[in-house]
Amino acid sequence: MIQLDRSGVTGADDVLVERLSHRFAQDQVVRLPGLVPPDIMARLAARLERGAWRAFGHHDIGEEVILDDAPALHLLHFLVNTPAFLACVQRIAQAEPLANFIGRVYRFVPSAGHSDSWHDDVKDGRAVGLSINLGSRAYAGGVFQIRRKGSSQLLAEAPNVVA
């Protein structure tokens, strides 16, 4: 199991990374369960529970709420931007050298009209997408799907389920 920690990444041995790289080449997506260790997840869960959330619209893509909590976001950026993790993801995705991950903490609230639609993330020098589920309770819903631009044929599909 690959896991982030304050000094980089653990569990990313050559055999596992090679297996994940083959899966990524075939499916264009891999799952890394347990990526964020329980102690850090607990700290993040507390910040998410107490944090301020605000509505955010992505023009014609969708609607969500995002977290206004710089410490939570900075912690996540710190974890995913260690040289060791960037190198690990680069090897898995067989990508050019990765400079950094940047992002946001967001949620879709059931029955609140939150949604996402087909969109293209290949812009602004982006090479690899990363999504980390931060939910502390079991949930089901949402399916990550990937397809070639201009095609309706799915390349990959990953259910968003945590038990």
Side-chain angles (χ1 to χ4, degrees), residues 82-94:
T82 61
F85 185 65
L86 291 171
C88 179
V89 173
Q90 178 184 326
R91 286 180 55 207
I92 291 169
Q94 299 175 18

Side-chain angles (χ1 to χ4, degrees), residues 3-131:
Q3 195 167 65
L4 298 169
D5 65 22
R6 289 170 184 83
S7 61
V9 64
T10 59
D13 62 72
D14 289 340
V15 172
L16 177 57
V17 170
E18 185 68 21
R19 187 167 42 95
L20 291 170
S21 179
H22 285 296
R23 173 157 303 150
F24 187 85
Q26 177 183 343
D27 299 336
Q28 300 298 293
V29 63
V30 294
R31 295 178 64 101
L32 301 175
L35 181 65
V36 178
D39 63 321
I40 296 175
M41 282 296 287
R43 290 177 59 193
L44 287 167
R47 300 223 56 107
L48 272 59
E49 197 65 36
R50 293 189 316 262
W53 294 85
R54 65 179 167 86
F56 185 74
H58 285 284
H59 310 293
D60 59 342
I61 295 174
E63 297 287 328
E64 63 196 27
V65 290
I66 61 172
L67 179 67
D68 269 333
D69 186 274
L73 189 57
H74 292 163
L75 175 57
L76 286 165
H77 283 162
F78 174 78
L79 290 171
V80 298
N81 284 302
T82 61
F85 185 65
L86 291 171
C88 179
V89 173
Q90 178 184 326
R91 286 180 55 207
I92 291 169
Q94 299 175 18
E96 296 294 320
L98 301 176
N100 65 337
F101 282 109
I102 52 175
R104 66 194 185 287
V105 176
Y106 68 93
R107 63 170 52 148
F108 291 150
V109 178
S111 303
H114 297 149
S115 63
D116 203 358
S117 63
W118 286 107
H119 60 277
D120 182 359
D121 282 345
V122 181
K123 58 184 174 187
D124 303 327
R126 296 177 188 174
V128 177
L130 173 67
S131 179

